[in-house]
Amino acid sequence: MAKPPANTSPLDPIVSLCKKRGFVYPASEIYGGINGFWDYGPLGVLLKNNIRDHWWRCMVECPPIGPDGVPLQIVGLDSSIIQNPKTWEASGHVGGFSDPMVDCTESKRRYRADHLFLATAFANDGTEIGTFSTLCEGDEAVDDLIRRAKKASKGKSLDDTAIRAETVLCYVDIARDLQEKVIGPDASKPGTLTKPREFNLMFQTYVGAIQSDDAKAYLRPETAQGIFLNYKNVVDTTRVKMPFGIAQVGKSFRNEVTPRNFIFRSREFEQMELEWFCDPDESGKWYDFWKQARMDWWLSLGVDPDNLIFRDHEDDELSHYSNMTVDIEYKYPFTAPEYGELEGIAHRGCFDLTQHQEHSGAKMEYFDQEKQLRLKDEGASPEEVKEKSRYIPNVIEPASGLTRAVLVVLCEAYTVDPDRPSGVYMKFKPKFAPIKAGIFPLVNKDGMPEKATEIYRELREVMTCEYDPKQSIGKRYARMDEIGAPFCVTVDGDTATDDSVTVRHRDDQSQERVKVAELKAYLLERLAD
Ligand code: GAP
């Protein structure tokens, strides 16, 4: 295996197009940026909102029909980012949401220890000498790190996790208590690296004027807990009955140690999470249902089925709350030919509600009257009826990243085509394209700008479109290709006589004449799905 080239990523062309065309900018760029934070530009926010709206529509407004042919009940929620800090004690995030880290006392840099296991170690002359995990094999002190590394390595490529070979070798030594001999990757002398220790990923802040321990609070690391905190409110104030779901889209924050791969892993990101509450006796059925329903959703975004796989978690990589988890993984440019995590569908059992019941004292039990009647009808014993009709629901949780979905849609759309002037075009599924059409006068005379403006005014009432009278028509097509507009509409010399325009199709660059009177319906039909 060749040593990976330093400082390049297969994502680079996408990152640079995103900057050039206003999809995603580095946050605080004029101050040199801030690692792990990104801003969504004019096109990026449109794309992100399109994906978010599609998720919301498919989950809350028009949820799928259930496995028994019964329509699902799912309600929405928008909970606070900051909650009572006891929330995170109950959820396990205060005690357990951490990564093993190593600090360098000289460079003041911090490295994530478990990722190092994935890296291939190269000697100084570039020859491969083994992986960190094999070098450490049999060393009891690193067992826990190996377990974490196995979890992190699933579907991830070297590129996601690779670090300098010297670092790998440093950690072999650290793990063997030989750190005094080791020079850290950014240090000038040996002995500056600490042993691995746990580092909590939650961002802390203070609520109120006094910055004391009592005022400490956290930015949420997942939207899910806001849902669990409101489970009882929703049951008590709405007509939902078991099974039902609560969905939420919103920002989450994790002080990731190694934010990387553009918006794949950032410190501020958005999640789209559904908590599906159900009778524990039916949780297996719902787990299978959501697994398939979520894969179907990703396909509905226009993602190539060959780029998506399911990957079941092995027992030793399950989160503390989960009995069963399957990931939907995507073949990212930086993981290919392997896959990396996109969404997790977790069977959380009754873990969260039980934890919140114990920590808050609020009763989370659900009385299932329909089940009670059914069991009685089926002739169950009074004890069985009593025992089975009151329960703390189980939860199936399809949890995905909205900003990660944006990355997938960008990667999927990015299409190299040396035969067109832009050299590349963004093949968004028309429904999700941030800009649906460019409207151009062929030249800026003979009434063409006036006619094109009139068409633009009419179309912008029903779709995002841009009027562009500047530069040659070829350059305007090239720009629209780069921003992924599926249609370009050109008013030319014939428009005045035949009352038609030329519609150019982004993907095959074909052109056809369409009557101005039929244009709106023509485009809307092609944007519908
Ligand atoms: N409530 C469960 C939960 O949060 P998770 O696997 O930690 O589970 C769910 O996160 C999804 O959120 C991930 O599959 C990923 O798409 C997204 N996600 C997690 N951490 C992220 C990060 N640092 N940057 C971008 N997206 C992230």
Side-chain angles (χ1 to χ4, degrees):
M1 188 197 295
K3 195 169 180 173
N7 303 326
T8 61
S9 156
L11 272 182
D12 288 349
I14 298 176
V15 176
S16 107
L17 180 91
C18 282
K19 171 77 200 299
K20 177 180 164 199
R21 290 301 179 201
F23 284 95
V24 182
Y25 308 121
S28 312
E29 198 180 9
I30 59 169
Y31 290 106
I34 171 165
N35 197 10
F37 296 88
W38 299 90
D39 293 340
Y40 290 77
L43 294 187
V45 70
L46 286 171
L47 181 63
K48 179 153 68 69
N49 288 352
N50 288 345
I51 298 169
R52 180 201 63 192
D53 293 348
H54 181 59
W55 188 90
W56 194 257
R57 185 150 182 80
C58 295
M59 299 299 259
V60 181
E61 292 170 4
C62 309
I65 301 294
D68 310 327
V70 178
L72 304 188
Q73 313 168 79
I74 303 184
V75 295
L77 181 77
D78 185 6
S79 69
S80 280
I81 284 173
I82 294 181
Q83 300 282 356
N84 187 311
K86 287 181 187 152
T87 305
W88 310 109
E89 285 167 27
S91 68
H93 285 88
V94 168
F97 193 54
S98 57
D99 282 333
M101 301 304 306
V102 176
D103 288 315
C104 175
T105 52
E106 181 184 323
S107 68
K108 308 291 178 221
R109 292 200 171 191
R110 183 167 274 180
Y111 310 95
R112 190 166 152 177
D114 55 324
H115 279 177
L116 306 181
F117 287 92
L118 307 172
T120 302
F122 295 91
N124 285 345
D125 64 3
T127 48
E128 187 183 333
I129 58 170
T131 61
F132 187 39
S133 48
T134 48
L135 292 170
C136 288
E137 223 162 23
D139 190 330
E140 279 179 28
V142 294
D143 270 2
D144 182 52
L145 292 183
I146 288 175
R147 189 185 58 73
R148 286 167 182 270
K150 275 192 192 159
K151 180 175 174 183
S153 71
K154 295 284 157 42
K156 299 227 170 86
S157 76
L158 270 185
D159 203 64
D160 183 32
T161 50
I163 40 86
R164 291 171 49 184
E166 304 92 289
T167 317
V168 177
L169 297 174
C170 288
Y171 287 107
V172 175
D173 283 350
I174 287 173
R176 293 174 178 163
D177 274 345
L178 292 172
Q179 75 261 43
E180 72 278 2
K181 291 183 191 162
V182 170
I183 303 180
D186 303 296
S188 62
K189 57 180 190 303
T192 61
L193 294 169
T194 64
K195 287 188 178 180
R197 61 179 168 218
E198 297 297 317
F199 170 76
N200 195 289
L201 298 184
M202 282 193 295
F203 281 101
Q204 285 183 20
T205 186
Y206 296 94
V207 173
I210 297 169
Q211 301 202 345
S212 67
D213 269 1
D214 290 344
K216 206 191 280 177
Y218 303 94
L219 303 192
R220 70 179 174 203
E222 60 173 15
T223 56
Q225 294 304 323
I227 297 181
F228 296 125
L229 298 185
N230 282 288
Y231 153 81
K232 219 177 128 43
N233 278 338
V234 171
V235 170
D236 292 346
T237 60
T238 72
R239 295 275 170 113
V240 292
K241 280 196 246 144
M242 217 53 70
F244 70 92
I246 306 180
Q248 168 153 241
V249 179
K251 293 237 174 182
S252 292
F253 303 81
R254 296 182 191 178
N255 198 0
E256 299 281 3
V257 178
T258 50
R260 60 174 67 217
N261 289 323
F262 192 33
I263 52 176
F264 176 78
R265 188 182 310 121
S266 49
R267 288 176 166 146
E268 176 176 340
F269 55 99
E270 279 177 74
Q271 289 188 304
M272 307 182 288
E273 297 200 286
L274 169 73
E275 306 303 324
W276 179 254
F277 300 92
C278 61
D279 177 349
D281 290 341
E282 299 193 336
S283 60
K285 172 180 92 177
W286 289 113
Y287 179 77
D288 293 340
F289 171 80
W290 280 113
K291 183 175 160 181
Q292 194 51 50
R294 293 305 305 148
M295 179 61 95
D296 293 346
W297 186 82
W298 288 105
L299 296 173
S300 76
L301 277 186
V303 182
D304 180 346
D306 289 343
N307 290 339
L308 292 168
I309 54 161
F310 286 119
R311 190 183 66 77
D312 290 305
H313 282 214
E314 285 169 28
D315 287 351
D316 63 354
E317 58 167 323
L318 288 171
S319 305
H320 60 282
Y321 52 73
S322 175
N323 309 331
M324 254 191 306
T325 296
V326 60
D327 281 347
I328 295 177
E329 296 192 333
Y330 177 72
K331 199 194 285 173
Y332 298 94
F334 54 86
T335 59
E338 302 299 327
Y339 296 76
E341 184 192 341
L342 172 56
E343 165 159 354
I345 297 120
H347 189 315
R348 296 181 77 120
C350 59
F351 175 82
D352 303 272
L353 292 180
T354 308
Q355 285 293 107
H356 288 304
Q357 175 168 285
E358 279 171 14
H359 282 72
S360 68
K363 284 266 163 279
M364 299 292 176
E365 216 173 56
Y366 180 82
F367 170 52
D368 191 334
Q369 197 171 17
E370 281 179 15
K371 188 174 186 189
Q372 186 189 48
L373 293 173
R374 198 177 63 243
L375 287 171
K376 277 185 184 163
D377 277 356
E378 287 167 7
S381 68
E383 295 74 32
E384 193 185 355
V385 172
K386 191 170 171 209
E387 188 203 328
K388 292 207 153 178
S389 51
R390 271 186 198 279
Y391 52 80
I392 295 189
N394 272 198
V395 171
I396 309 299
E397 176 197 63
S400 59
L402 170 56
T403 39
R404 204 170 277 188
V406 172
L407 178 61
V408 166
V409 170
L410 287 168
C411 292
E412 199 69 14
Y414 187 86
T415 312
V416 174
D417 180 358
D419 293 337
R420 57 176 87 197
S422 54
V424 67
Y425 66 107
M426 296 300 278
K427 198 177 178 176
F428 297 120
K429 188 170 173 179
K431 181 175 170 178
F432 302 109
I435 301 294
K436 311 297 190 207
I439 320 295
F440 314 143
L442 182 61
V443 289
N444 282 306
K445 57 182 185 181
D446 300 336
M448 290 181 221
E450 291 75 9
K451 186 66 188 171
T453 308
E454 191 187 310
I455 291 172
Y456 166 66
R457 280 170 179 261
E458 199 192 342
L459 288 182
R460 60 173 280 170
E461 287 177 10
V462 290
M463 67 187 73
T464 49
C465 50
E466 286 188 358
Y467 174 71
D468 186 0
K470 290 198 191 125
Q471 298 183 305
S472 71
I473 194 77
K475 285 196 171 139
R476 283 180 271 172
Y477 282 160
R479 186 173 162 276
M480 285 295 152
D481 279 350
E482 283 191 338
I483 69 174
F487 305 105
C488 292
V489 175
T490 306
V491 172
D492 58 22
D494 293 335
T495 303
T497 47
D498 68 1
D499 214 19
S500 299
V501 287
T502 300
V503 175
R504 175 199 184 252
H505 296 257
R506 178 196 61 201
D507 297 348
D508 61 6
Q509 303 180 73
S510 64
Q511 303 195 355
E512 58 185 313
R513 293 296 281 180
V514 177
K515 289 275 176 213
V516 173
E518 290 159 16
L519 182 63
K520 194 199 282 187
Y522 174 94
L523 295 178
L524 285 176
E525 190 190 327
R526 282 156 184 79
L527 291 168
D529 197 46

